[in-house]
Amino acid sequence: AQSVTQPDIHITVSEGASLELRCNYSYGATPYLFWYVQSPGQGLQLLLKYFSGDTLVQGIKGFEAEFKRSQSSFNLRKPSVHWSDAAEYFCAVGPRNTGFQKLVFGTGTRLLVSP
Amino acid sequence: NAGVTQTPKFQVLKTGQSMTLQCAQDMNHEYMSWYRQDPGMGLRLIHYSVGAGITDQGEVPNGYNVSRSTTEDFPLRLLSAAPSQTSVYFCASSLGGKETQYFGPGTRLLVL
């Protein structure tokens, strides 16, 4: 069965420092890959997605993610974190043969930003 | 556009009570879904719909019913609430099956 692992439950980063959030997936074939962000009390917002092509994907709010097939990973990065980036981040995978309604989500990584 | 709206924001139920969580979208999206979010777990799909009159089960459908009589609305019904249904519920919609999903702000449900 497909699964998504986000090994870090919490990460604390100083404002202005770089950020990398890890995501590994287990899947029979290369799935669609997503990163979502959830601010406190809000629903999820899509940051970026990978379908095919260039393995480095640019998203909103200055985020990017790199798909590495050999490592089954899709890590999220940002070169300089802002205090407003404090939120929970979810990695998700979706099968290519169905719609995105059957996304499988990771357990999330909560990002804390220190001054 | 209001996007995806959910009501109520919070609800407390007693075991055995029934209720309906409302979800509406004004983007003319065909696809709508219900997820639940529990501590330490990612979102899990409860039910989804690919258009008016068409619904299907997700990963955790037991204890929940849905119907889709209009494109705009996708209510989630709990017929007999159980403490295990204490969770945060999110509704989402998308234009098509492989389009970006837009999430509502969530409904926090506590079942005593």
Side-chain angles (χ1 to χ4, degrees):
Chain A
Q2 57 266 36
S3 65
V4 179
T5 301
Q6 293 180 249
D8 303 306
I9 298 175
H10 298 101
I11 281 186
T12 300
V13 175
S14 298
E15 190 169 15
S18 63
L19 169 71
E20 183 169 26
L21 302 182
R22 295 182 291 167
C23 172
N24 292 94
Y25 65 89
S26 173
Y27 211 78
T30 301
Y32 294 122
L33 296 158
F34 305 82
W35 275 100
Y36 284 86
V37 61
Q38 184 181 29
S39 298
Q42 303 295 316
L44 276 68
Q45 180 184 22
L46 180 68
L47 281 176
L48 48 78
K49 59 191 177 188
Y50 172 78
F51 288 176
S52 63
D54 192 347
T55 56
L56 186 62
V57 181
Q58 302 298 320
I60 62 171
K61 305 185 180 187
F63 285 92
E64 66 178 26
E66 185 172 13
F67 167 58
K68 293 186 177 180
R69 185 191 307 272
S70 61
Q71 299 177 18
S72 296
S73 69
F74 189 56
N75 293 350
L76 182 71
R77 301 194 294 245
K78 186 169 185 178
S80 178
V81 168
H82 188 263
W83 64 265
S84 60
D85 293 324
E88 189 148 22
Y89 293 79
F90 292 93
C91 181
V93 301
R96 287 184 175 265
N97 59 343
T98 67
F100 298 160
Q101 280 58 41
K102 295 194 173 182
L103 293 184
V104 175
F105 285 83
T107 52
T109 297
R110 185 168 297 279
L111 173 65
L112 305 173
V113 180
S114 60
Chain B
N1 287 351
V4 181
T5 58
Q6 293 184 238
T7 56
K9 288 188 180 354
F10 304 99
Q11 184 71 47
V12 179
L13 289 179
K14 295 181 180 177
T15 297
Q17 286 185 315
S18 63
M19 80 159 295
T20 299
L21 279 64
Q22 301 291 345
C23 174
Q25 51 88 13
D26 60 358
M27 298 175 282
N28 203 30
H29 285 176
E30 287 295 324
Y31 286 65
M32 297 185 75
S33 303
W34 276 103
Y35 295 87
R36 60 178 289 173
Q37 183 181 34
D38 301 296
M41 304 185 74
L43 274 71
R44 292 182 293 168
L45 181 65
I46 304 172
H47 286 285
Y48 67 98
S49 169
V50 299
I54 307 170
T55 63
D56 204 351
Q57 295 181 350
E59 180 185 355
V60 288
N62 292 342
Y64 306 96
N65 281 351
V66 292
S67 61
R68 184 100 178 268
S69 56
T70 67
T71 299
E72 295 78 18
D73 300 298
F74 190 42
L76 179 71
R77 297 183 185 85
L78 284 71
L79 297 180
S80 178
S84 60
Q85 294 178 303
T86 292
S87 188
V88 181
Y89 291 85
F90 289 100
C91 179
S93 74
S94 62
L95 191 60
K98 295 187 177 180
E99 302 291 335
T100 298
Q101 287 195 79
Y102 294 86
F103 284 79
T107 292
R108 189 174 295 274
L109 177 67
L110 174 62
V111 183
L112 301 175

